[in-house]
Amino acid sequence: MGAAVVARLVADGHTVIGVDLRAAAEGDVVADLSTPAGRRAAARAVLDRADGVLDGAVLAAGLGPAPGRDRARLIAEVNYLGVVELLDAWRPALAAAERAKVVVFASNSTTTMPVVPRRAVRALLERDVPRALGALRVFGRMAPSFAYGASKIAVSQWVRREAVTREWAGAGIRLNAIAPGAILTPLLEQQLATPAEARRIKAFPVPVAGFGDPGQLAAWVVFMLSDAADFLCGSVVFVDGGSDAWFRAEDWPRAVPARHLRRYVTRMKEFRALSR
């Protein structure tokens, strides 16, 4: 999906600075986003090449569940810290562009995957990966799957929280997320080649049937980077064939419950105070 976004942006005449574990194109920044040093190096290299001004950013690097003792940690580091630490470092350069757009890749796993521990999500939001992994140990060999869900929930909540702040919205930066469903990437094709995996994937509800195309996701991302998205702020856009709607048609949108009224009023007061 990231490669499709790059191809679309380059075709539209944009200059793209890629960040990858291995160089996918000439001039890419090669960095390991699963380590603090790799994330710092990636952030610095992009800022150097952009001369301190970024018109936009797409955070598409991510890892999915797979066997391996260290997989849950890698997922947490890349999918969550690999987004928020880079964006923390790039925020001044995005603000310098005045109307910058940022798109973070989330997932429809945020709302279709049950039993993801809230403790793990809270720990990631506090950037405490060891504590998040501790909350996932109960799942044993399934820990990477729940680490994936936790990482995508945490990054979506981070986008929602940060997007509306003075540092982001107030600086002219539009921060949003896209939540894909089953997209026919090489990884999905590999999974479909395994009969047991294929049965599990095909059994998952996708009301429009079939799988999404990476090029379709790229078109959405390009729209979210465009001037047409000036009024889009803090949104999580589901492009998943209807799976999210299938599972939670009545969960969202909903009126503010009475038990949340105090928090609602508090947030209103906070906004008025910031607007003065």
Side-chain angles (χ1 to χ4, degrees):
M1 288 182 282
V5 172
V6 170
R8 179 69 177 266
L9 290 171
V10 170
D12 288 348
H14 296 284
T15 299
V16 178
I17 304 168
V19 178
D20 209 333
L21 189 59
R22 289 170 289 275
E26 186 178 352
D28 278 358
V29 172
V30 177
D32 183 355
L33 299 182
S34 72
T35 69
R39 293 189 289 271
R40 288 193 297 269
R44 285 195 303 267
V46 169
L47 291 174
D48 288 345
R49 297 186 189 193
D51 293 326
V53 179
L54 285 171
D55 296 303
V58 179
L59 284 298
L63 295 174
R69 290 181 56 187
D70 206 31
R71 189 68 175 187
R73 182 194 67 80
L74 291 173
I75 289 170
E77 296 267 4
V78 174
N79 294 12
Y80 185 71
L81 295 181
V83 173
V84 301
E85 290 186 3
L86 265 60
L87 286 178
D88 281 347
W90 293 342
R91 187 177 55 79
L94 291 160
E98 297 183 352
R99 294 176 66 191
K101 309 294 191 303
V102 176
V103 182
V104 171
F105 268 68
S107 168
N108 73 343
S109 296
T110 55
T111 57
T112 63
M113 186 176 183
V115 203
V116 176
R118 291 184 181 181
R119 291 184 298 128
V121 175
R122 286 196 299 267
L124 288 177
L125 286 166
E126 295 168 9
R127 309 193 185 191
D128 189 339
V129 169
R131 186 155 61 88
L133 297 180
L136 298 170
R137 286 198 186 99
V138 66
F139 296 104
R141 287 183 296 178
M142 291 296 293
S145 294
F146 288 94
Y148 180 82
S151 73
K152 293 301 184 179
I153 294 170
V155 82
S156 298
Q157 290 186 1
W158 182 88
V159 165
R160 297 274 289 168
R161 291 180 182 183
E162 294 296 319
V164 296
T165 63
R166 180 174 290 177
E167 290 76 16
W168 291 89
I173 309 167
R174 298 295 173 259
L175 174 59
N176 297 283
I178 190 165
I183 308 300
L184 198 57
T185 61
L187 175 60
L188 181 58
E189 290 175 343
Q190 181 181 350
Q191 292 171 321
L192 290 171
T194 305
E197 281 285 296
R199 284 194 297 272
R200 179 183 63 81
I201 292 166
K202 291 177 180 178
F204 190 80
V206 182
V208 304
F211 305 108
D213 180 85
Q216 296 169 338
L217 263 293
W220 271 100
V221 172
V222 170
F223 167 77
M224 294 168 74
L225 292 170
S226 73
D227 291 346
D230 278 352
F231 208 54
L232 191 68
C233 178
S235 294
V236 180
V237 179
F238 285 83
V239 185
D240 70 344
S243 300
D244 170 68
W246 175 266
F247 281 105
R248 59 176 204 130
E250 298 177 5
D251 290 350
W252 183 265
R254 62 168 56 179
V256 178
R259 67 181 184 276
H260 292 162
L261 183 58
R262 180 176 297 177
R263 185 176 69 183
Y264 185 85
V265 171
T266 298
R267 293 295 286 168
M268 289 285 291
K269 290 178 178 177
E270 289 173 351
F271 183 78
R272 285 199 296 269
L274 287 171
S275 300
R276 290 194 185 107

